[in-house]
Amino acid sequence: MIYFDYNATAPVMREAREAWLHVTEKLGGNPSSMHQAGTRASIALADAREKLAAYLGCHPLDIVWTSGATEANNMVMHHFAKKLDPAKKIFVSAIEHPCVDDSSKHYFGKRVKAIPVTRDGVIDMDWLTAELADERPGLVAVMAANNETGIIQPWPEILAMCQAYEVPFFTDAVQFIGKMPCKGLGDCDYVTGAAHKFGGPRGVGFLKIPHRSQITPLLLGGKQEGGRRAGTENTAIIAAMMAAMEVREKQIAQSQHLLRKVWRDNFEAQFLRALPGATILGHNQPRLWNTVSALMPDGDRKSQWVIRLDKAGFAVSTGSACTVGKEEPSHVLSAMGYKAQHAQRAVRFSAGWETTEADWDALLKAVVKVHGEMQHKA
Ligand code: PLP
């Protein structure tokens, strides 16, 4: 099986497994305990915190470890729901992951103003500029890169606008971290990430939050993480996450992603030639180097593509893993102005650091073959 679903989750890399084993075997104490075993675990935790803070460019105490991005994103919304004046609105992009979208609606209901995106899947900066000039929301939330399309959002520009208006800015950087350089993300007031998208284990992530602000915790019952998140920290998976991030940051610093972008771009060029009627979403926009989000030719249904490619030995996806099973069109494609009949043709190919040029070539051949079969059947 050749795996092209890295935006859903990535395999755990060797360095992360080794870090997990080392901490589990050698540093197994509870980081809150006063004895030496506890102190050793607490030092390992502090090291991981410093490492992440250095990558993001923030204070180590800005970091709160969580069970993943879903928890971290819920924490942000819960915190603002408690903190903001009940009349205040928040601006949330129309293409956020459901764990931001649903939690913002849960806590804020009609007080959420959706930030529209263009047909190309990028935040409508004219809309945002005009709205921010008009009113000051309590929070602006825009993800760094979209999980379904891979389109990179102009978060540095949005951050600068928010800073000018003194509005807190939150970015879900789950798909961005480990594929693009983390540097600069720490300037955002709130940032979230999850290890399993870049070769760390599942069930661990973080929230970056200004350490001087008092956060209202989502989980109560312990003083861990400076009273911001109750529950014994899992030092081993946190160390594993940071081992994975270290590898990815090194690869990015060596520009290893640029060659992979060339492979992806070559695939896209050949794909468009071979499949008349297919479209690549946000084709001319800055996108993650690993993602191809395509509308397959008319008449081809996405579920058939996933099943047929699976049979041919390729794991691909129809979009976000969290929306699989729902027959509704993706909210991301709807926000981009695509009708249900178009959205039904969306297929996502997402590669990883381990994907080779030969894997892309093999995928292309399989796609062409499956397309031929579908045309023949039609
Ligand atoms: N945010 C984005 C952009 C994602 O892609 C995902 C996972 O697909 C999440 C949040 C949720 O992450 P987790 O499932 O690790 O909690």
Side-chain angles (χ1 to χ4, degrees):
M1 170 68 64
I2 302 185
Y3 190 70
F4 271 96
D5 201 13
Y6 278 78
N7 284 10
T9 197
V12 180
M13 68 166 78
R14 177 181 52 80
E15 290 83 347
R17 283 200 297 270
E18 285 173 2
W20 182 87
L21 205 58
H22 170 74
V23 174
T24 300
E25 287 179 355
K26 306 273 192 263
L27 305 166
N30 184 327
S32 299
S33 299
M34 305 268 287
H35 45 64
Q36 289 182 43
T39 307
R40 282 195 290 274
S42 156
I43 291 170
L45 204 56
D47 283 351
R49 211 183 294 280
E50 276 174 27
K51 212 179 256 177
L52 178 55
Y55 284 134
L56 296 175
C58 64
H59 194 286
L61 293 180
D62 291 350
I63 307 293
V64 179
W65 306 116
T66 66
S67 64
T70 299
E71 181 192 337
N73 288 339
N74 273 266
M75 271 173 89
V76 175
M77 292 304 158
H78 173 259
H79 169 60
F80 275 90
K82 296 279 176 198
K83 172 183 150 118
L84 289 179
D85 177 304
K88 263 284 193 226
K89 290 199 174 124
I90 62 168
F91 291 180
V92 178
S93 97
I95 54 166
E96 294 299 302
H97 187 273
C99 64
V100 172
D101 198 37
D102 290 354
S103 61
S104 65
K105 285 176 183 146
H106 172 77
Y107 288 113
F108 289 89
K110 291 199 165 59
R111 288 193 287 141
V112 179
K113 216 174 204 184
I115 308 172
V117 295
T118 64
R119 180 80 169 175
D120 273 345
V122 185
I123 290 300
D124 183 338
M125 292 299 276
D126 291 341
W127 184 94
L128 191 58
T129 307
E131 290 291 321
L132 280 177
D134 206 41
E135 77 171 292
R136 302 282 175 281
L139 177 71
V140 168
V142 177
M143 67 201 324
N146 184 264
N147 44 304
E148 292 188 31
T149 61
I151 295 166
I152 296 174
Q153 301 301 321
W155 60 267
E157 289 79 3
I158 300 172
L159 168 65
M161 280 167 66
C162 288
Q163 283 173 337
Y165 288 115
E166 297 185 1
V167 171
F169 176 59
F170 159 44
T171 194
D172 168 344
V174 167
Q175 295 290 343
F176 190 88
I177 292 173
K179 299 184 187 105
M180 302 299 288
C182 281
K183 207 167 157 32
L185 278 171
D187 292 339
C188 306
D189 302 291
Y190 300 81
V191 183
T192 54
H196 72 106
K197 305 293 184 181
F198 54 83
R202 273 165 235 168
V204 59
F206 70 88
L207 164 64
K208 182 263 157 184
I209 177 170
H211 68 278
R212 285 193 192 85
S213 70
Q214 271 301 315
I215 181 165
T216 317
L218 184 59
L219 301 183
L220 303 169
K223 293 283 171 231
Q224 292 89 350
E225 297 300 293
R228 296 171 296 180
R229 197 265 186 187
T232 305
E233 294 95 341
N234 189 334
T235 320
I237 54 171
I238 291 167
M241 169 163 69
M242 291 319 301
M245 192 179 286
E246 204 169 342
V247 171
R248 296 309 181 216
E249 282 287 317
K250 249 184 221 152
Q251 289 176 299
I252 294 164
Q254 292 165 352
S255 300
Q256 289 187 29
H257 56 303
L258 298 184
L259 179 61
R260 287 163 174 80
K261 181 178 179 303
V262 171
W263 298 341
R264 191 279 311 268
D265 290 349
N266 287 343
F267 168 85
E268 287 186 344
Q270 295 179 69
F271 168 86
L272 288 174
R273 270 199 298 274
L275 274 75
T279 314
I280 289 167
L281 301 175
H283 197 194
N284 298 316
Q285 295 303 322
R287 279 180 299 141
L288 296 174
W289 51 264
N290 75 317
T291 308
V292 180
S293 179
L295 292 189
M296 304 312 264
D298 227 352
D300 295 357
R301 285 177 62 92
K302 63 181 178 183
S303 51
Q304 287 187 8
W305 272 103
V306 174
I307 292 161
R308 282 169 183 259
L309 282 173
D310 190 44
K311 275 193 194 136
F314 295 84
V316 308
S317 156
T318 57
S320 159
C322 306
T323 56
V324 167
K326 281 205 293 185
E327 267 309 304
E328 299 152 31
S330 135
H331 71 289
V332 175
L333 271 77
S334 299
M336 290 165 71
Y338 287 97
K339 300 243 165 1
Q341 71 265 30
H342 296 124
Q344 273 182 358
R345 296 193 274 122
V347 176
R348 180 184 71 186
F349 310 108
S350 55
W353 286 96
E354 293 77 22
T355 308
T356 62
E357 189 174 17
D359 293 336
W360 280 112
D361 288 345
L363 176 66
L364 182 71
K365 284 198 184 88
V367 165
V368 171
K369 187 162 175 281
V370 168
H371 178 60
E373 288 165 8
M374 283 200 213
Q375 297 291 304
H376 187 66
K377 240 186 136 199

